[in-house]
Amino acid sequence: AGHSAGEWNACLAAGMIDLESVSQLHKRILDHSIDMPDALFLSAGCGVQDIEDILQDFPAIYLSNDNCPHQVILCGSTEDVNRCRERLNQKGFLNHILPFRSGFHTPFAHALTHDAEAAINSLEFKNAAIPVWSATTTETYPEDVTEIKRLQITHLLQTVRFRELIEN
């Protein structure tokens, strides 16, 4: 199992892709300057269930990572995130603005998917020697290469459901 870009490392460890492929993904997708000016990440010391009411009030704030019962990462515009922080503070939840603005695992990352799709589609995936679990679906990876590539791209846009993955 992997977390965010760590899912590529899980695929590497399982023999689905080789080290050169993972290196190429990092170079083509992560290592260049990714800056979505209005995609601010906010780490909060609480679980999803603790902030359901807050998230209902901020439809343009996305759950980027459901990491564990006591930590989530949210992503939204600077204005929305600052207003959300006020609510988190009122509830007594520790929170911290993260120092990067990629927008990964939210709709903000749609702007990056063209390059990501080209990079992922250029890779050769093999059958895994051991099962790899997806933090997007919280299930094992599909065996079909087309479905694997589709999942890799989807993973960049959807919530990292690491808590649920570990529970499964």
Side-chain angles (χ1 to χ4, degrees):
H3 182 282
S4 191
E7 204 152 297
W8 298 332
N9 295 335
C11 291
L12 171 64
M16 288 177 67
I17 54 178
D18 59 26
L19 181 58
E20 179 59 28
S21 295
V22 172
S23 296
Q24 286 302 314
L25 284 173
H26 278 271
K27 286 178 188 164
R28 292 181 68 182
I29 298 172
L30 298 178
D31 289 351
H32 66 287
S33 178
I34 297 171
D35 186 24
M36 307 297 276
D38 206 31
L40 195 62
F41 282 108
L42 175 65
S43 174
C46 57
V48 174
Q49 71 284 352
D50 299 321
I51 59 167
E52 288 174 340
D53 60 326
I54 293 175
L55 292 177
Q56 286 180 0
D57 292 342
F58 294 95
I61 288 191
Y62 304 97
L63 176 64
S64 172
N65 298 63
D66 179 3
N67 288 334
C68 66
H70 303 289
Q71 192 208 42
V72 296
I73 298 177
L74 307 173
C75 184
S77 70
T78 301
E79 180 182 339
D80 283 344
V81 166
N82 286 328
R83 289 183 23 234
C84 183
R85 283 189 86 186
E86 291 173 14
R87 294 277 301 279
L88 291 169
N89 289 334
Q90 289 169 0
K91 286 189 157 204
F93 294 127
L94 295 175
N95 59 82
H96 180 77
I97 302 246
L98 299 178
F100 49 87
R101 294 173 175 255
S102 69
F104 280 129
H105 308 298
T106 75
F108 285 104
H110 275 288
L112 307 171
T113 56
H114 181 71
D115 289 342
E117 191 169 352
I120 290 167
N121 282 329
S122 71
L123 300 180
E124 288 186 38
F125 286 89
K126 303 171 192 146
N127 289 332
I130 56 174
V132 175
W133 286 71
S134 165
T136 300
T137 65
T138 73
E139 299 174 355
T140 55
Y141 257 72
E143 292 185 14
D144 179 74
V145 172
T146 302
E147 292 300 313
I148 290 169
K149 290 178 179 182
R150 184 175 295 128
L151 178 56
Q152 290 275 319
I153 295 162
T154 301
H155 182 62
L156 299 173
L157 300 170
Q158 296 197 4
T159 302
V160 174
R161 297 166 54 199
F162 199 69
R163 176 188 52 82
E164 291 177 75
L165 171 68
I166 295 302
E167 289 171 356
N168 284 349

